[in-house]
Amino acid sequence: MMDAPIIEEGVLRGVLCHEHVGAPRRWTQDEKTFALAVSALVTRAYADDRRRKAEAALRDFLENAHDFVVILKPDGRYDFVNRAWREALGYTLEEARRLTWEDVNVPDQLPALRTLWPRVLAGEELGKIELTVIAKDGRRFEADLVVGADGIRSVLRAGISSDEPVASGYVAYRGALPVAEAKGTKEDE
């Protein structure tokens, strides 16, 4: 019998046993290499499953947050808007993806916000930014914008994921709004 360990993040998760039927013999180097390759594939499958579950939990958390959570593409178009944003502003995800951040901000704030956009894309720490967003039906919401654009080695990201980051070229924003002001939502009891 030849055993190959399944080790993930330095922890032994299992052992892959390779058996031979017949007279005792020595395992060839090709067989040993094959056993280790299969062990590596099983280890990778476990890691991929864990990553998929963590990503699903993060997506669920972002989608169900009471604060506005959006992800913007570098050209300013929305790539993701969570349920709180959609219900308060009255847009579907498909409609939001045709909008830019400029489309939902009050016109008198646009010049100042346009000067900030390149700094956001550069990953500069901007602190809290106060702005007013306009819903599809014309209602206005005051919001504090917190920019999470600290780059590929984000402190926030390191706190929620242990895998190696891959640059996507996207920017994410999160805004807060009292639940009672969000159209179509209910406060938790």
Side-chain angles (χ1 to χ4, degrees):
M1 183 179 323
M2 175 176 51
D3 295 336
I6 298 171
I7 299 173
E8 183 188 11
E9 294 184 355
V11 176
L12 180 64
R13 303 287 183 195
V15 177
L16 191 59
C17 299
H18 301 268
E19 296 183 15
H20 164 73
V21 176
R25 67 177 184 83
R26 289 197 159 306
W27 296 95
T28 68
Q29 186 58 48
D30 284 347
E31 291 169 326
K32 291 176 185 177
T33 301
F34 175 76
L36 288 174
V38 171
S39 174
L41 287 173
V42 171
T43 299
R44 176 66 186 257
Y46 279 126
D48 286 349
D49 181 61
R50 200 166 43 87
R51 179 188 47 78
R52 277 190 297 277
K53 288 176 181 172
E55 288 173 352
L58 180 57
R59 275 191 302 274
D60 183 62
F61 171 77
L62 294 175
E63 178 63 18
N64 294 300
H66 291 293
D67 296 337
F68 293 173
V69 179
V70 304
I71 298 175
L72 294 169
K73 294 182 179 185
D75 65 2
R77 287 182 298 121
Y78 290 97
D79 188 45
F80 170 81
V81 294
N82 73 340
R83 182 175 35 196
W85 188 97
R86 292 189 311 268
E87 289 176 352
L89 273 65
Y91 293 100
T92 65
L93 179 58
E94 293 74 28
E95 290 172 322
R97 286 186 170 153
R98 291 190 294 269
L99 300 171
T100 69
W101 60 265
E102 292 185 8
D103 296 323
V104 298
N105 283 280
V106 294
D108 59 319
Q109 291 180 337
L110 290 179
L113 293 172
R114 285 180 185 130
T115 64
L116 294 176
W117 183 244
R119 295 170 56 195
V120 167
L121 292 176
E124 186 177 330
E125 176 59 48
L126 300 175
K128 182 176 77 171
I129 301 166
E130 295 179 4
L131 53 84
T132 304
V133 294
I134 307 168
K136 189 176 183 179
D137 65 7
R139 288 178 300 129
R140 293 175 178 227
F141 298 97
E142 302 295 321
D144 292 332
L145 175 67
V146 179
V147 178
D150 55 345
I152 194 165
R153 302 285 176 210
S154 168
V155 174
L156 171 65
R157 185 181 195 291
I160 61 173
S161 177
S162 62
D163 63 345
E164 282 298 309
V166 177
S168 66
Y170 292 87
V171 178
Y173 293 94
R174 175 180 173 265
L177 172 74
V179 174
E181 292 181 23
K183 179 180 178 183
T185 63
K186 298 177 189 175
E187 285 193 50
D188 290 336
E189 297 178 12

